[in-house]
C-alpha cells in the first residue's frame, strides 16, 4: 500500500498554492470591475446583459453554475462511500435537455418575460407569482449557504484556515464582482471558472491514477469491494441510488433546475433568439455532464488509494466531503501550485453558483416585489437597488452557513433541498402550461402544500441522518492497514447506523432523488382537483400563448428585442 500519512506541515499550502488560489479570486474581481467600467447603468444591461450574450459564454456559465463545489467534493465522496451508480446521472441530464429547451424555455422566450415567475402572473395572478418568488428566495438562501460551506471545508483541509474565515472571503469576493458588474461579469467569470475546474480536476485525477498503478488497479480495487455497481433495479423508493431514481428522479430534478430556476432562465433570456438559447443548452450538457463523470471517476480513484485505510473511520478527516482535498494533498501536495489549483477549481465552482444566485435574487426582488409597487422607478435607481439587494443577501448568507454546517454529506443535502423546492416550482409551471382548466386557487394551494410537504420531508430526512441514520448502500470501508487503529471499527459504525434506521419514520428514508417528482405531482394533483372544485378556468378565455401545445412549444420564437403581441406582457417588460 502507498504511504498516506504525512506530517501536518506537508499537508498544508505552500506559497505557490496561495499564489494560484488568490490569482483566481483576483481575476474574478477584475472581470467584475471591467464590466462595471464598460457597461451602462441601465437595468437591462445589468440584469440581462443587454440581451446580447453569445452561445459559448452562456453555455459555459450554465455548466459552471449547475455544477458548483458540491459536485467537485460531494460526488467523489459519495462514490467512495456507495459505489458507481451515480454514473447514471449524466443520462438524466441528457434526457432533460430537450424537455427544457423545447417546452419551458420556448414558453419564456415566446412571452419575452424577464423574471420566469412573470409567467405565473400572466397565467394565474400576482399572488401565485409572489408566492413562487418568495419560495425561490428562501431556496436560494439555503442553497447558497451550502455551496459556500463546501469549498470552505476543502480549504480548511489543505490550509488549516477556519471555515468561517474562508466563507467570509468567498462571500466578499463574489458579492463584490456580482454587485459591481451584473450579469456580464457573472457569465464571464463563470467561463473562466469552468476552465479552472476542468484543468484542476483532470490534473489531479491523472496524477492520482498514475501513482496508484494505472486504470487497471483503480478498476480492480473498486471491483473487489463491490463498488463497480451499475444495474441496481431495486423498485424500493428508500433505496438511495437505483437506475430508476437516478434516471427518472434525476430527469425531473434537472428539468426543474434548467427549466424554471431563475438563475438559469435569466441566462437563456439574455440571448437574442430561442435557437441560440437551445444550442447553448446542448453545449452546456457536454460540459456539465463531463464534470459529473470526472467527479464519479475521482471517487473511484480516491477509493483505490485508501482501499485498506479509510481516513474517515480512522479519524484522519472529520467528514466524508473532506476526502477529496485529503487525496489532493496526498497525491500532488509535494508539487508546488497543484493543490492551490485544485482548491481554486472548487472555489470557482462555488463562486459561479453563488454569483448566479445573487444576481437572480436581485432580479426577483426588483421585478416581483419592488417594480409592481413603484412602476415609474427610474432606471438608474433600479440598478442601484439591485446592487444593494445583492450585497444584502451576500451578508445574510454568512449567517445561513451556521445552519448547514451540520449536514451529513453536501451532495445529499444540496440535491435534497433543491429537489424539495424545485418540485413545487416546476409543478406550478407545469400546471399552468399543461392543464388549461387550472385556476389561481388550485395553483396557489398546490404550490404551498407541495412546499410544506417536501420541506417537512427534506428537513426530517436531514435530522434523521444527523442522528445516525444511514442508508443501505454504504460499502465496506477497511482499516486493516491503518497504523495503530482497530480494524473492526468500520463494521461497528455501520451496524449501529443500520439499527438506528429501524426506528426512523419510513417517509424520511425515501431517496432524495424522488423529491422533485413527488413535489411536482402534489402540485399537479391537488392543483387540478381544487381548480375543478372551486370553478375551473375557461380555456377559451386564456391567451393560447400561455398554454403549451405542439403548435407553439416546438417552434422558434422571434428575436428578444421584439415585443410580444399580448398587451399584458408589455406592461411588465423590463425597460
Amino acid at each position: 500500500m502507498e504511504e498516506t500519512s504525512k506530517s501536518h506541515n506537508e499537508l498544508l499550502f505552500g506559497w505557490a498554492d496561495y499564489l494560484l488560489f488568490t490569482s483566481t479570486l483576483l481575476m474574478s474581481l477584475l472581470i467584475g470591475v471591467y464590466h462595471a467600467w464598460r457597461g451602462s447603468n441601465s437595468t437591462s444591461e445589468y440584469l440581462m446583459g443587454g440581451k446580447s450574450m453569445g452561445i459559448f459564454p452562456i453555455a459555459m456559465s450554465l455548466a459552471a453554475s449547475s455544477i458548483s463545489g458540491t459536485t467537485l467534493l460531494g460526488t467523489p465522496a459519495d462514490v467512495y462511500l456507495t459505489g458507481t451508480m451515480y454514473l447514471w446521472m449524466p443520462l438524466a441530464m441528457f434526457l432533460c435537455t430537450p424537455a427544457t429547451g423545447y417546452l419551458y424555455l420556448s414558453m419564456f422566450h415566446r412571452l419575452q418575460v424577464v423574471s420566469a415567475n412573470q409567467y405565473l402572473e400572466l397565467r394565474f395572478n400576482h399572488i401565485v407569482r409572489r408566492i413562487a418568488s418568495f419560495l425561490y428566495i428562501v431556496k436560494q438562501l439555503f442553497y447558497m449557504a451550502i455551496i459556500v460551506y463546501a469549498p470552505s471545508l476543502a480549504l480548511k483541509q489543505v490550509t488549516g484556515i477556519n471555515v468561517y474565515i474562508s466563507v467570509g472571503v468567498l462571500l466578499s469576493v463574489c458579492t463584490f464582482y456580482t454587485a459591481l458588474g451584473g450579469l456580464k461579469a457573472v457569465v464571464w467569470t463563470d467561463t473562466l471558472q469552468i476552465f479552472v475546474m476542468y484543468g484542476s480536476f483532470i490534473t489531479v485525477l491523472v496524477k492520482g491514477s498514475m501513482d496508484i498503478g494505472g486504470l487497471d488497479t483503480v478498476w480492480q480495487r473498486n471491483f473487489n469491494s463491490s463498488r463497480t455497481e451499475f444495474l441496481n433495479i431495486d423498485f424500493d423508493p428508500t433505496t438511495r441510488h437505483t437506475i430508476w431514481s437516478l434516471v427518472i428522479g434525476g430527469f425531473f430534478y434537472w428539468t426543474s433546475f434548467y427549466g424554471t430556476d431563475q438563475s438559469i432562465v435569466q441566462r437563456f433570456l439574455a440571448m437574442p433568439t430561442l435557437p441560440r438559447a437551445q444550442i447553448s443548452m446542448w453545449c452546456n450538457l457536454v460540459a456539465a455532464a463531463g464534470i459529473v463523470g470526472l467527479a464519479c471517476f475521482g471517487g473511484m480513484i480516491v477509493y483505490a488509494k485508501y482501499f485498506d485505510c479509510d481516513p474517515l473511520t480512522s479519524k484522519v478527516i472529520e467528514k466524508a466531503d473532506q476526502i477529496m482535498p485529503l487525496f489532493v494533498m496526498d497525491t500532488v501536495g509535494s508539487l508546488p501550485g497543484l493543490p492551490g489549483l485544485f482548491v481554486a477549481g472548487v472555489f470557482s465552482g462555488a463562486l459561479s453558483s453563488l454569483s448566479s444566485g445573487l444576481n437572480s435574487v436581485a432580479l426577483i426582488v426588483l421585478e416581483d416585489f419592488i417594480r409592481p409597487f413603484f412602476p415609474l422607478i427610474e432606471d438608474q435607481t433600479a440598478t442601484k437597488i439591485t446592487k444593494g439587494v445583492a450585497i444584502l443577501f451576500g451578508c445574510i448568507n454568512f449567517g445561513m452557513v451556521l445552519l448547514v454546517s451540520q449536514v451529513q454529506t453536501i451532495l445529499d443535502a444540496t440535491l435534497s433541498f433543491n429537489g424539495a423546492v424545485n418540485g413545487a416550482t416546476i409543478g406550478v409551471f407545469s400546471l399552468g402550461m399543461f392543464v388549461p382548466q387550472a385556476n389561481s386557487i388550485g395553483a396557489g394551494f398546490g404550490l404551498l402544500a407541495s412546499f410544506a410537504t417536501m420541506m417537512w420531508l427534506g428537513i426530517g430526512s436531514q435530522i434523521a441522518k444527523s442522528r445516525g441514520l444511514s442508508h443501505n448502500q454504504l460499502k465496506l470501508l477497511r482499516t486493516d492497514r491503518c497504523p495503530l487503529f482497530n480494524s473492526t471499527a468500520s463494521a461497528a459504525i455501520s451496524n449501529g447506523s443500520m439499527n438506528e434506521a429501524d426506528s426512523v419514520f419510513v417517509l424520511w428514508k425515501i431517496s432524495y432523488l424522488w423529491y422533485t417528482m413527488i413535489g411536482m405531482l402534489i402540485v399537479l394533483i391537488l392543483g387540478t382537483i381544487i381548480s375543478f372544485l372551486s370553478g375551473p378556468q375557461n380555456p377559451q378565455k386564456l391567451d393560447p400563448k400561455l398554454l403549451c401545445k405542439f403548435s407553439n412549444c416546438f417552434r422558434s420564437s422571434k428575436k428578444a428585442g421584439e415585443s410580444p403581441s399580448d398587451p399584458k406582457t408589455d406592461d411588465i417588460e423590463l425597460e
Side-chain angles (χ1 to χ4, degrees), residues 482-496:
C482 293
L484 304 177
F485 189 79
N486 185 351
S487 62
T488 63
S490 178
I493 293 172
S494 177
N495 290 335

Side-chain angles (χ1 to χ4, degrees), residues 497-510:
S497 298
M498 293 303 293
N499 292 334
E500 182 74 19
D502 296 336
S503 61
V504 173
F505 185 53
V506 64
L507 292 182
W508 289 348
K509 302 178 188 178
I510 293 177

Side-chain angles (χ1 to χ4, degrees), residues 102-103 105-113 269 274 433 544-549 552-558 562-565 569:
Y102 298 98
L103 295 177
L105 181 56
S106 175
M107 175 69 72
F108 298 137
H109 254 274
R110 185 168 61 255
L111 295 175
Q112 287 301 292
V113 294
L269 295 176
L274 175 60
M433 292 168 59
K545 290 190 300 183
L546 298 173
L547 301 175
C548 189
K549 301 177 182 178
N552 58 15
C553 279
F554 292 91
R555 68 182 184 184
S556 298
S557 71
K558 28 188 182 176
E562 301 176 15
S563 298
S565 57
T569 58

Side-chain angles (χ1 to χ4, degrees), residues 96-425:
C96 90
T97 300
T100 299
Y102 298 98
L103 295 177
Y104 300 94
L105 181 56
S106 175
M107 175 69 72
F108 298 137
H109 254 274
R110 185 168 61 255
L111 295 175
Q112 287 301 292
V113 294
V114 177
S115 161
N117 293 334
Q118 284 179 268
Y119 168 80
L120 298 178
E121 181 170 356
L122 296 173
R123 175 63 178 85
F124 299 113
N125 59 27
H126 68 280
I127 296 176
V128 176
R129 172 185 178 178
R130 296 214 176 101
I131 292 174
S133 298
F134 176 75
L135 296 184
Y136 175 77
I137 292 172
V138 172
K139 184 200 82 167
Q140 285 298 100
L141 282 174
F142 278 93
Y143 176 60
M144 288 189 289
I146 292 173
I147 60 178
V148 168
Y149 179 64
S152 300
L153 280 177
L155 193 62
K156 178 184 178 182
Q157 183 65 33
V158 297
T159 66
I161 295 177
N162 183 275
V163 168
Y164 299 106
I165 294 177
S166 56
V167 165
V169 171
L170 180 59
L171 282 170
S172 299
V173 170
C174 187
T175 302
F176 178 81
Y177 77 73
T178 302
L180 198 64
L183 183 67
K184 283 188 175 180
V186 171
V187 168
W188 282 109
T189 50
D190 286 352
T191 303
L192 163 70
Q193 289 156 4
I194 191 69
F195 284 103
V196 175
M197 281 188 270
Y198 259 101
S200 61
F201 220 64
I202 291 174
T203 301
V204 170
L205 296 188
V206 169
K207 177 66 165 58
S209 62
M210 291 173 60
D211 289 349
I212 293 168
L215 298 180
D216 288 342
T217 302
V218 172
W219 174 264
Q220 196 61 46
R221 289 179 179 176
N222 280 269
F223 181 81
N224 292 340
S225 66
S226 302
R227 275 173 170 73
T228 52
E229 181 183 12
F230 299 104
L231 297 176
N232 188 326
I233 56 174
D234 189 355
F235 287 95
D236 183 354
T238 66
T239 301
R240 189 164 173 268
H241 287 169
T242 66
I243 291 178
W244 320 117
S245 65
L246 285 160
V247 177
I248 300 174
F251 166 80
F252 284 102
Y253 173 83
W254 288 109
T255 300
S256 69
F257 181 72
Y258 284 120
T260 62
D261 190 285
Q262 176 60 34
S263 65
I264 301 298
V265 173
Q266 187 175 345
R267 286 168 170 72
F268 286 134
L269 295 176
M271 305 190 72
T273 64
L274 175 60
R276 283 175 172 265
Q278 290 168 337
I279 292 172
S280 70
M281 181 65 190
W282 286 104
C283 295
N284 153 78
L285 168 67
V286 176
I291 283 285
V292 172
L294 283 174
C296 291
F297 181 55
M300 297 178 67
I301 296 177
V302 171
Y303 176 75
K305 184 172 184 65
Y306 301 119
F307 77 105
D308 56 1
C309 183
D310 170 42
L312 185 62
T313 309
S314 58
K315 307 300 181 183
V316 175
I317 56 176
E318 299 173 3
K319 293 190 175 185
D321 299 311
Q322 293 176 308
I323 198 165
M324 192 66 194
L326 176 69
F327 171 79
V328 170
M329 296 309 296
D330 280 344
T331 302
V332 297
S334 60
L335 302 177
L338 288 185
L341 181 65
F342 172 78
V343 175
V346 175
F347 263 70
S348 293
L351 284 168
S352 61
S353 298
L354 181 59
S355 61
S356 303
L358 291 174
N359 194 256
S360 62
V361 166
L363 185 146
I364 286 286
V365 171
L366 174 67
E367 293 298 320
D368 295 357
F369 293 102
I370 296 178
R371 200 182 289 276
F373 299 100
F374 302 96
L376 301 179
I377 188 173
E378 293 183 0
D379 204 47
Q380 289 188 349
T381 303
T383 303
K384 291 178 181 178
I385 290 174
T386 54
K387 291 181 178 182
V389 170
I391 294 172
L392 174 63
F393 276 86
C395 296
I396 292 174
N397 258 279
F398 185 83
M400 296 295 294
V401 172
L402 298 173
L403 297 178
V404 304
S405 60
Q406 304 302 315
V407 299
Q408 188 183 50
T409 61
I410 54 175
L411 180 69
D412 194 318
T414 302
L415 297 188
S416 295
F417 186 76
N418 271 358
V421 181
N422 288 354
T425 304

